[in-house]
Amino acid sequence: MNNYSGSKTVKWDIHLPEKVFHIKGTVTVSNELTLPLKTTRRLWVNHLEVFPETATALRSFYDCSFEWGELGQNASYTAALSICIAIFNSERLAENLFICFKEEFVDNFPDGNFELVLEVTRFLNKYNFRLHPHLYSRFCFSAITNSREILLYKDPETGLITTDLAENYALHREYMPDVKVKALNERKQRLLFRLFAKENYIISGYEFPEVMRRVEDMMARFYWRSVEKIITRKITEHYED
């Protein structure tokens, strides 16, 4: 059983019996003459097949299929979440880690058939902040990111749930391998969101549904404000030309 602690220095006790996993992926294209051709992708973790329905039961926004590799799109999140559920044997921990798992591993899987071995110790060390026992990952449809993820903290003593939307926006804006460039970009995005939301970028409450309702409202306003700016800029450029 996972242990929880109010201390910020204590991480989720995962109790992984092994840290090395065999991952296999296959791509099958139907030989039917009808178009478009149907492509089926399947995944196995330690020789046990995993299914997209396992992931979409938690995150129904993502496609109920698998994708991976450099060209993978929405269904790559499904693949990452399904693999994480199989590896970590915990839905909540899998939800906390699968976005990073996609960026670290799934996006780098070979595009076609593959078999490889993953060692997750370095991954867990790199993203250890997501092992905080009181961190929660939630889906936000209105978030202007591909993952649509919002991270929240729940105080173990008071039960207060808090999320920093500026931090979330900066964290999820885009993946950058260069650490220094990423840090500068996050600072820029963080300031941008705070300018928009003013003092309302911190949202807190005692019930997840209520907090997420307010998160959706704020992120939707930010989305439409961003769209408005883009349209205004394009109109201005059109008439300037």
Side-chain angles (χ1 to χ4, degrees), residues 185-202:
N185 185 66
E186 286 182 357
R187 182 174 181 271
K188 174 184 174 182
Q189 301 300 337
R190 195 178 294 114
L191 291 172
L192 175 66
F193 195 93
R194 287 178 180 176
L195 283 173
F196 161 77
K198 297 182 172 58
E199 71 278 3
N200 298 317
Y201 65 91
I202 300 288

Side-chain angles (χ1 to χ4, degrees), residues 125-212:
N125 289 335
K126 182 177 180 180
Y127 297 103
N128 64 0
F129 77 96
R130 285 179 176 262
L131 302 181
H132 193 289
H134 309 299
L135 175 73
Y136 290 79
S137 170
R138 288 292 186 270
F139 177 82
C140 177
F141 181 81
S142 303
I144 313 179
T145 61
N146 291 331
S147 66
R148 302 290 204 277
E149 182 188 46
I150 294 292
L151 296 176
L152 311 96
Y153 284 92
K154 183 175 182 179
D155 189 297
E157 296 180 0
T158 66
L160 184 67
I161 302 162
T162 304
T163 183
D164 182 333
L165 295 185
E167 195 67 37
N168 269 281
Y169 179 68
L171 180 67
H172 293 105
R173 192 67 187 96
E174 55 188 304
Y175 175 69
M176 292 183 176
D178 189 306
V179 176
K180 290 184 178 180
V181 174
K182 184 175 186 292
L184 289 172
N185 185 66
E186 286 182 357
R187 182 174 181 271
K188 174 184 174 182
Q189 301 300 337
R190 195 178 294 114
L191 291 172
L192 175 66
F193 195 93
R194 287 178 180 176
L195 283 173
F196 161 77
K198 297 182 172 58
E199 71 278 3
N200 298 317
Y201 65 91
I202 300 288
I203 293 180
S204 59
Y206 291 94
E207 299 292 337
F208 279 108
E210 172 59 21
V211 171
M212 288 308 301

Side-chain angles (χ1 to χ4, degrees), residues 58-93:
L58 299 177
R59 302 284 171 114
S60 57
F61 170 80
Y62 305 125
D63 293 341
C64 191
S65 59
F66 289 144
E67 289 179 344
W68 56 75
E70 197 174 18
L71 301 178
Q73 299 183 31
N74 186 290
S76 291
Y77 292 102
T78 307
L81 183 52
S82 296
I83 294 172
C84 282
I85 292 171
I87 288 177
F88 300 112
N89 198 31
S90 163
E91 291 182 351
R92 190 160 82 79
L93 183 57

